[in-house]
Amino acid sequence: MTLPTTNGSELSQKADQYMAYETEEVITWCGGCGNFAIQNALRRALVLEGFAPDEVLMCFDIGCSGNGSDKIEGYTIHGLHGRVLPLAAGAVIANPKMKVIASAGDGATLNEGVNHLIHAIRSDYPILFLHHDNQNFALTTGQASCTTPQGCKANSAPDGAPEESINPLSLVLSQDPSFVARTISSDTDHMTEIFRKALHHKGFAFIEILQTCPTYNKHMTDPWLLEQAKEVRELPDYDAQDIWAARKIVEIAEPIHTGILYHNRDRKNFLEVMKHRDEVQTTPVEEVRPYDLSDVLEAL
Ligand code: SF4
Ligand code: MG
């Protein structure tokens, strides 16, 4: 892959802001796991776009990606399996002033929580969603998920996954999304650039990250991903505003097209179509009236 554009000197001048996202929690990911680079790229993007840890809410699903919840400083919530999107949607509706980021793996997103994905796209909630697609249920020791390629061996499928896999981007693009991109965990610069742009999208930004899992996914390696990835900016005439161009390109298995595949800037997000909130200057979280329940609790 080419076209890395992350400005290293710009980042080095912001080392303090970068370190503000540091925690002292023990790392539990395996050596070589793509989650390291994804979280690094997210931190870089947040710093370069001027987000401090107290301006961001990061919602994590269950899975190896979810174990990143205590490895980054800031407001983080580690929710139920497959339910990170309704959790993030509730948070951003309550407090639209926060930048809300949700992370989930392929098992959580497309096996457990695919219903929530459909509605997040339909409602265009203002959420940056990082889909960590390592093509297996890694936290529970490498069972096949619905993105495991058909025929690939997994701990739950010793003879190879029997069913056709789901193409996540084909599914997402069929639902009239407002922002769709693909990147790879093997290229931190590229991830950073995609995240930086997606942070400013006002609706639901779906980022497909093909994530290496050297422990359980032996075919999707760093060298293979780097060889396969091809940025759509390198294609003559690719138009990221043309959803049919995006729908066509995600059906191509090799090379793997990366970059911003589709962007609809005109679509109104969920908050913009809530007519009953027109002219309201406060956020719902500011309208909550605190109640003192101590008398009630003492009486129990
Ligand atoms: Fe990463 Fe895979 Fe290890 Fe999970 S099992 S931490 S995804 S390498
Ligand atoms: Mg997975």
Side-chain angles (χ1 to χ4, degrees):
M1 183 181 295
T2 57
L3 302 172
T5 52
T6 294
N7 189 322
S9 64
E10 188 187 354
L11 192 63
S12 65
Q13 288 165 13
K14 297 184 174 178
D16 288 348
Q17 290 99 313
Y18 184 86
M19 291 310 291
Y21 281 100
E22 192 76 12
T23 73
E24 294 182 354
E25 294 299 324
V26 174
I27 299 290
T28 53
W29 292 320
C30 312
C33 175
N35 278 307
F36 287 103
I38 296 172
Q39 198 161 90
N40 182 14
L42 178 61
R43 285 171 61 171
R44 285 189 189 192
L46 287 167
V47 168
L48 290 168
E49 295 308 311
F51 288 95
D54 63 356
E55 295 172 318
V56 184
L57 172 70
M58 287 172 270
C59 305
F60 291 84
D61 212 291
I62 300 296
C64 288
S65 60
N67 285 351
S69 65
D70 57 3
K71 298 174 183 66
I72 188 164
E73 191 52 74
Y75 297 121
T76 61
I77 307 179
H78 201 162
L80 299 176
H81 198 203
R83 315 297 160 204
V84 76
L85 284 171
L87 171 65
V92 79
I93 292 166
N95 188 358
K97 291 177 182 170
M98 292 292 281
K99 171 54 65 180
V100 175
I101 300 169
S103 296
D106 44 295
T109 305
L110 295 165
N111 284 83
E112 307 294 337
V114 68
N115 49 336
H116 301 303
L117 174 65
I118 300 297
H119 291 288
I121 301 166
R122 182 176 74 90
S123 297
D124 206 30
Y125 296 126
I127 297 169
L128 167 54
F129 182 53
L130 307 181
H131 180 226
H132 298 232
D133 188 357
N134 59 12
Q135 302 181 335
N136 74 97
F137 284 97
L139 186 70
T140 49
T141 68
Q143 292 78 19
S145 77
C146 61
T147 63
T148 304
Q150 188 176 34
C152 250
K153 292 185 177 173
N155 278 347
S156 58
D159 297 327
E163 301 145 298
E164 286 266 0
S165 59
I166 285 179
N167 178 333
L169 293 183
S170 187
L171 174 67
V172 168
L173 284 160
S174 73
Q175 300 301 308
D176 193 22
S178 58
F179 188 104
V180 177
R182 178 159 56 194
T183 184
I184 58 175
S185 70
S186 316
D187 190 336
T188 305
D189 280 350
H190 190 261
M191 283 192 290
T192 306
E193 292 308 311
I194 296 292
F195 298 168
R196 289 182 74 172
K197 292 194 171 78
L199 279 167
H200 297 291
H201 178 61
K202 67 185 176 76
F204 185 71
F206 183 92
I207 316 297
E208 164 82 345
I209 309 166
L210 295 175
Q211 185 217 303
T212 53
C213 169
T215 303
Y216 296 115
N217 185 336
K218 303 295 185 191
H219 61 274
M220 198 165 71
T221 61
D222 283 319
W224 185 83
L225 280 171
L226 288 165
E227 188 186 313
Q228 288 297 327
K230 186 172 180 62
E231 238 287 345
V232 289
R233 282 180 295 171
E234 293 178 349
L235 301 177
D237 305 328
Y238 186 77
D239 180 2
Q241 296 178 64
D242 179 354
I243 197 163
W244 291 103
R247 290 182 73 161
K248 198 168 159 190
I249 212 162
V250 300
E251 296 302 329
I252 299 169
E254 296 181 8
I256 298 168
H257 289 97
T258 58
I260 296 174
L261 304 178
Y262 180 64
H263 191 182
N264 178 355
R265 290 181 175 80
D266 298 329
R267 183 155 173 203
K268 287 187 164 59
N269 73 20
F270 182 81
L271 302 172
E272 291 170 319
V273 297
M274 289 291 102
K275 288 291 167 204
H276 68 284
R277 299 293 300 176
D278 279 358
E279 313 297 331
V280 178
Q281 301 300 320
T282 51
T283 64
V285 78
E286 291 164 337
E287 295 155 20
V288 174
R289 286 172 41 206
Y291 290 92
D292 185 352
L293 295 176
S294 50
D295 288 347
V296 179
L297 293 172
E298 270 177 32
L300 292 175

